[in-house]
Amino acid sequence: MNNKNNIKRSRRGSGAITLRDVAKLAGVAPITASRAVNTPEQVSPDVLKKVLDAVQRTGYVPNRIAGGLASSRSRLIAAVVPSTVMSVFMETIESLNASLFDAGYQLMLGQSGYSAAREELLLEAVIGRRPDGIFLTGILPPGKSRTRLLASGIPVVETWDLTPTPIDMLVGFSHSDIGRAVANFLMSRKRKRLALVRADDERAARRAAAFTEAVRARGLPDVFVVNVGDSRSLKSGREAMARIVWEAPDVDAIFCSSDLLALGVVTQARAQGVAVPDRMAVIGFGDVPFLAEMVPALSTVRINGAEIGKQAAHFLIERAQGRPIDPRVLDVGFAIVERDTT
Amino acid sequence: MNNKNNIKRSRRGSGAITLRDVAKLAGVAPITASRAVNTPEQVSPDVLKKVLDAVQRTGYVPNRIAGGLASSRSRLIAAVVPSTVMSVFMETIESLNASLFDAGYQLMLGQSGYSAAREELLLEAVIGRRPDGIFLTGILPPGKSRTRLLASGIPVVETWDLTPTPIDMLVGFSHSDIGRAVANFLMSRKRKRLALVRADDERAARRAAAFTEAVRARGLPDVFVVNVGDSRSLKSGREAMARIVWEAPDVDAIFCSSDLLALGVVTQARAQGVAVPDRMAVIGFGDVPFLAEMVPALSTVRINGAEIGKQAAHFLIERAQGRPIDPRVLDVGFAIVERDTT
DNA sequence: TTGAAAGCGCTAACAA
DNA sequence: TTGTTAGCGCTTTCAA
């Protein structure tokens, strides 16, 4: 009779132990075994014991694919991260993943930032898995992808930014506020000629705009801007600093769009004999952990990436459980961390 | 009649467009629609057009959960990464993910390195998704988890290390070779008193052992070892250097178990007026990109993390398609990159 | 080239 | 508390 089973199963399936096997061994119906495994409080102690026993003996691991199909709840969350600068978001991804895991969810990782065609494919792949939620790094501009996501009905949380028109939920902070705050911070330190070193990045652009605006509002000379393009490397920072020394020698404070650029600026300053912070103040963005312990320790804008991940996870889990989120926007803020370079 | 459908569907399901809807609209059987979408070459041009049309009009996105259940192929690969030092492996994860995506696979991310209990849960969660393959950072020591993985029958690739007894497949390099090579490299540069600064990490321990052994074989004085414990920060590197200056002032070369530690050592050396590389050679491990452009540029051991990801993806995809891999072990090697600090 | 039937392994709905 | 039944949305198998 065992034989008959095997013959029957040989045609299809993975050959792995199923809930049916467990149920048979425990002498109960499959649904009872299911309940014993998933909602033990709904089952008598006697049955519970028999089922768990059978699970032990067979090494049964529930098939979440089948479960997901049956319940329309995949217990999967998709995270979309830009492939080029993943590192900045890692703290967030780690904390997101940890929070999700504790709640019984799995994280699927998608990398954006390639071609538009691949972006389209990524979205297809993501929606095709029917995740219970989608985590987006940044905000999605209006367009085909946004429409598509909206149409899918899957809860979405956008992050690392603020917008009056989120797709759904949002956990982030205001880049304009940062630009303004850093400008005021530097000006309050009696800096008179400010400069920006920034990568080609939409969020950096918004910080820059607010920074420039705040400087202008105080009647100081125009901000000297160095755009380093797509390269966020330390080397670009060095080159930018060399240009500033050459083209705008009166600059006495620089706001960089990333800590790495700032490190490059400081490195070059030392190479050219420009005293930091006496002659030149430098402040970065992102608070890469180890830069706090460099000499000189880098001043920077700290973003609590782990908090973003944690809160985003919370939002997504609540929604996945069918509970509404209100308000749907959370501003986690930022902090200017003053160290040696300002 | 549309109505009847809706009533019928209201009881269960996600309410999304299904293959059946598409098929109905195209006037073909569901299976034909399936073929048009998945294997268009098996279908007449006429039917193909009608089905693709219907897909367009409905915005149909195939449900991969259902597909996975029916075909026993989830097109999912699980990657397990230590949560504490994810950064080192990011290049690998990115390239792994990119390669997988191009082949139509999705990446699921799991974080290890928490408690043993959670490790157990992670394995359950991973196996429960029935991934077509599992990517492991590092090698799995014999134990319950290993047995379990083996029993699951899922293709596994271990990475970043070499062992004579892999679970299944392996893409890595020899840590002993590195320790030996670095020792010989430093000794060939006429360094006479070598030191190690290392984190509490099994792989670093093997590099250290081979390093020590190579030094001893040449009859040089014993290696001075500073173990910084679990902290891999720049700060630990600084403290280690301070200790070396104090306790073993004759040391003239240091091999650090990570670039960050090496950076700390160099930072402290500068602070204490120890000339690098004249008085002290320093070499790191990992080749964090930006350290190449610091002053002084850090010498290091370069691991091609992207290549590991790419090859691991290749191994897993081949196996997922049912093709055998032979040989199942790939040594991607390493390179000593000499820059300013040696 | 197309289709009908029968599941994949699980859970929702309803009934006892 | 336990069980029966009928799917979830897709693909495999077999037949036309």
Side-chain angles (χ1 to χ4, degrees):
Chain A
M1 51 192 188
N2 194 349
N3 202 8
K4 211 159 55 179
N5 258 327
N6 284 337
I7 285 172
K8 196 176 170 192
R9 188 180 288 135
S10 71
R11 211 165 55 91
R12 288 236 252 164
S14 58
I17 308 289
T18 74
L19 192 59
R20 260 183 77 176
D21 300 325
V22 172
K24 203 170 288 174
L25 196 64
V28 298
I31 183 66
T32 304
S34 169
R35 288 197 266 249
V37 171
N38 296 308
T39 50
E41 69 280 7
Q42 283 189 30
V43 123
S44 71
D46 177 46
V47 166
L48 182 59
K49 189 185 169 309
K50 280 194 295 187
V51 172
L52 293 187
D53 238 59
V55 167
Q56 274 296 318
R57 274 160 50 202
T58 53
Y60 168 69
V61 179
N63 183 332
R64 303 284 174 209
I65 303 229
L69 179 59
S71 64
S72 307
R73 304 181 65 245
S74 62
R75 294 193 154 270
L76 213 62
I77 301 283
V80 177
V81 183
S83 46
T84 41
V85 285
M86 208 180 185
S87 50
V88 183
F89 303 115
M90 230 181 37
E91 203 186 343
T92 302
I93 296 298
E94 281 194 8
S95 107
L96 173 72
N97 200 3
S99 298
L100 290 177
F101 184 77
D102 288 340
Y105 288 78
Q106 241 53 50
L107 187 74
M108 237 184 64
L109 202 62
Q111 288 168 209
S112 66
Y114 297 103
S115 64
R118 261 173 82 158
E119 211 83 346
E120 188 75 10
L121 285 174
L122 175 61
L123 198 60
E124 282 260 341
V126 164
I127 297 179
R129 294 279 172 194
R130 302 294 189 268
D132 291 342
I134 299 179
F135 172 100
L136 253 34
T137 358
I139 54 178
L140 203 60
K144 210 171 159 187
S145 295
R146 195 187 156 106
T147 312
R148 198 91 191 260
L149 261 192
L150 225 25
S152 77
I154 302 171
V156 173
V157 60
E158 292 167 288
T159 60
W160 281 87
D161 207 339
L162 235 43
T163 162
T165 54
I167 301 181
D168 182 0
M169 299 173 288
L170 184 67
V171 179
F173 53 89
S174 163
H175 291 268
S176 301
D177 284 358
I178 290 175
R180 212 170 298 123
V182 172
N184 288 329
F185 168 78
L186 291 173
M187 292 186 294
S188 77
R189 295 292 184 280
K190 307 286 177 249
R191 301 291 168 168
K192 298 297 175 207
R193 181 73 207 280
L194 311 194
L196 278 166
V197 173
R198 69 181 200 79
D200 235 343
D201 165 276
E202 203 267 319
R203 287 184 283 269
R206 260 181 293 131
R207 293 195 295 272
F211 183 90
T212 305
E213 177 55 34
V215 170
R216 189 170 297 150
R218 289 265 196 111
L220 291 188
D222 266 5
V223 172
F224 185 80
V225 178
V226 181
N227 191 320
V228 300
D230 261 344
S231 148
R232 289 144 228 272
S233 65
L234 189 147
K235 198 175 164 197
S236 311
R238 296 190 61 172
E239 290 163 0
M241 179 60 188
R243 251 192 75 189
I244 288 172
V245 169
W246 182 249
E247 297 180 22
D250 57 330
V251 163
D252 59 5
I254 307 177
F255 177 31
C256 303
S257 71
S258 80
D259 281 350
L260 210 49
L261 285 174
L263 184 57
V265 165
V266 171
T267 302
Q268 185 66 19
R270 193 167 57 224
Q272 301 206 7
V274 177
V276 172
D278 292 346
R279 170 69 192 76
M280 181 76 76
V282 180
I283 181 166
F285 174 81
D287 197 21
V288 173
F290 69 87
L291 292 180
E293 290 143 9
M294 292 271 318
V295 179
L298 188 72
S299 295
T300 190
V301 177
R302 165 141 187 79
I303 305 300
N304 194 339
E307 180 68 11
I308 293 180
K310 192 180 141 196
Q311 294 297 342
H314 176 240
F315 275 22
L316 289 171
I317 291 166
E318 287 297 298
R319 283 288 292 280
Q321 319 269 17
R323 288 187 285 272
I325 290 291
D326 188 53
R328 284 142 87 126
V329 173
L330 182 66
D331 185 342
V332 298
F334 60 91
I336 293 181
V337 183
E338 179 157 33
R339 299 205 189 98
D340 303 341
T341 61
T342 48
Chain B
M1 52 190 186
N2 195 349
N3 201 9
K4 213 160 55 180
N5 258 328
N6 285 337
I7 285 170
K8 196 175 171 191
R9 189 180 286 134
S10 71
R11 212 164 55 93
R12 288 238 253 163
S14 58
I17 308 290
T18 73
L19 192 58
R20 259 183 78 177
D21 300 324
V22 172
K24 203 169 289 173
L25 195 65
V28 297
I31 181 64
T32 304
S34 168
R35 287 196 268 249
V37 170
N38 297 310
T39 51
E41 68 280 5
Q42 283 189 32
V43 123
S44 70
D46 177 46
V47 165
L48 182 59
K49 188 184 169 311
K50 282 194 295 188
V51 172
L52 293 188
D53 239 58
V55 168
Q56 275 296 319
R57 273 162 48 204
T58 53
Y60 169 69
V61 179
N63 184 329
R64 303 283 174 211
I65 302 227
L69 179 60
S71 64
S72 305
R73 304 180 63 245
S74 63
R75 293 194 153 271
L76 212 61
I77 301 284
V80 178
V81 183
S83 46
T84 41
V85 285
M86 209 180 183
S87 52
V88 183
F89 303 115
M90 228 181 39
E91 204 186 341
T92 301
I93 296 299
E94 280 197 13
S95 108
L96 173 72
N97 200 2
S99 298
L100 290 177
F101 184 77
D102 288 341
Y105 288 78
Q106 240 55 50
L107 187 74
M108 233 185 68
L109 202 62
Q111 288 167 210
S112 66
Y114 297 103
S115 65
R118 261 172 84 156
E119 210 84 347
E120 189 73 10
L121 285 174
L122 176 60
L123 198 60
E124 282 260 342
V126 164
I127 296 179
R129 295 278 172 194
R130 302 295 190 266
D132 292 342
I134 298 178
F135 172 100
L136 254 32
T137 0
I139 53 178
L140 202 61
K144 209 171 162 189
S145 295
R146 194 186 158 108
T147 311
R148 197 92 191 258
L149 261 191
L150 225 27
S152 77
I154 302 171
V156 172
V157 59
E158 291 167 288
T159 60
W160 281 87
D161 208 338
L162 235 44
T163 162
T165 54
I167 300 181
D168 182 0
M169 299 174 289
L170 184 66
V171 179
F173 53 89
S174 162
H175 290 267
S176 300
D177 284 359
I178 289 175
R180 213 169 297 122
V182 171
N184 288 329
F185 168 79
L186 291 173
M187 291 186 293
S188 77
R189 294 294 184 278
K190 309 285 178 250
R191 302 290 169 168
K192 299 298 176 206
R193 182 73 207 279
L194 311 193
L196 277 167
V197 173
R198 67 182 201 77
D200 234 343
D201 164 277
E202 203 267 319
R203 287 184 283 269
R206 261 181 291 129
R207 293 195 296 273
F211 183 91
T212 304
E213 177 56 35
V215 170
R216 187 170 298 149
R218 289 265 196 111
L220 291 187
D222 267 4
V223 172
F224 185 80
V225 179
V226 181
N227 191 318
V228 299
D230 262 344
S231 148
R232 287 144 231 271
S233 66
L234 189 147
K235 197 174 164 200
S236 310
R238 296 190 61 172
E239 291 164 359
M241 179 62 187
R243 249 192 77 189
I244 289 172
V245 169
W246 183 249
E247 296 180 22
D250 57 330
V251 163
D252 59 5
I254 307 177
F255 177 29
C256 302
S257 71
S258 80
D259 281 350
L260 210 50
L261 285 175
L263 184 57
V265 165
V266 171
T267 302
Q268 185 65 19
R270 194 168 55 225
Q272 301 206 7
V274 177
V276 172
D278 292 346
R279 172 69 193 75
M280 181 76 75
V282 180
I283 180 166
F285 175 82
D287 197 19
V288 173
F290 70 87
L291 292 181
E293 290 141 8
M294 292 272 318
V295 180
L298 187 71
S299 295
T300 190
V301 176
R302 166 143 186 77
I303 305 301
N304 193 337
E307 179 69 11
I308 293 180
K310 191 179 141 198
Q311 294 296 343
H314 176 239
F315 274 22
L316 289 171
I317 291 166
E318 287 297 297
R319 282 288 293 281
Q321 319 270 17
R323 288 188 285 273
I325 289 290
D326 188 51
R328 285 143 84 127
V329 173
L330 181 66
D331 185 343
V332 299
F334 60 91
I336 293 182
V337 183
E338 179 157 34
R339 300 205 187 97
D340 303 342
T341 59
T342 49

